[in-house]
Amino acid sequence: MGLFDRFKKPAVNEDGQQVVKVTVDGGYQPETVRLAKGGPAKLVFERVSDKGCLEVVHSPELGFESELPLNQEVSFDVKIYQRGEYGFACGMDMFKGKVVVK
């Protein structure tokens, strides 16, 4: 395991769908998630702290935006057909993360 591998998280396959959970706690944990190209995928965000300006998460590239109520999971179905990196951020774009598609 490389020095920065702990900041990346691969998807877990649940009933044929790639699923990645991101904990929102003064930032995004992990900051980088990995998905395989094609197939359905779901990003699940759970805000567990009121630190920072993380009440909203959005991604114009992936087509989602939502408030994140404290201690509740909010999920987004995403369709990714091309390899690349897709960003997500808080409402003020101060805290950022990314989805890496291979």
Side-chain angles (χ1 to χ4, degrees), residues 20-42:
V20 178
K21 183 172 181 180
V22 178
T23 302
V24 183
D25 184 6
Y28 298 109
Q29 300 169 13
E31 290 180 352
T32 301
V33 297
R34 292 179 282 163
L35 295 173
K37 182 179 91 165
K42 181 184 288 188

Side-chain angles (χ1 to χ4, degrees), residues 42-83:
K42 181 184 288 188
L43 298 175
V44 180
F45 291 83
E46 183 177 10
R47 185 167 67 101
V48 298
S49 170
D50 60 1
K51 296 181 208 169
C53 59
L54 295 155
E55 298 89 7
V56 172
V57 65
H58 71 111
S59 174
E61 297 168 319
L62 296 173
F64 65 79
E65 180 171 358
S66 180
E67 291 186 11
L68 297 176
L70 197 58
N71 299 316
Q72 293 181 30
E73 290 186 349
V74 176
S75 61
F76 303 99
D77 292 317
V78 294
K79 297 175 184 172
I80 302 174
Y81 299 108
Q82 295 183 0
R83 293 180 179 163

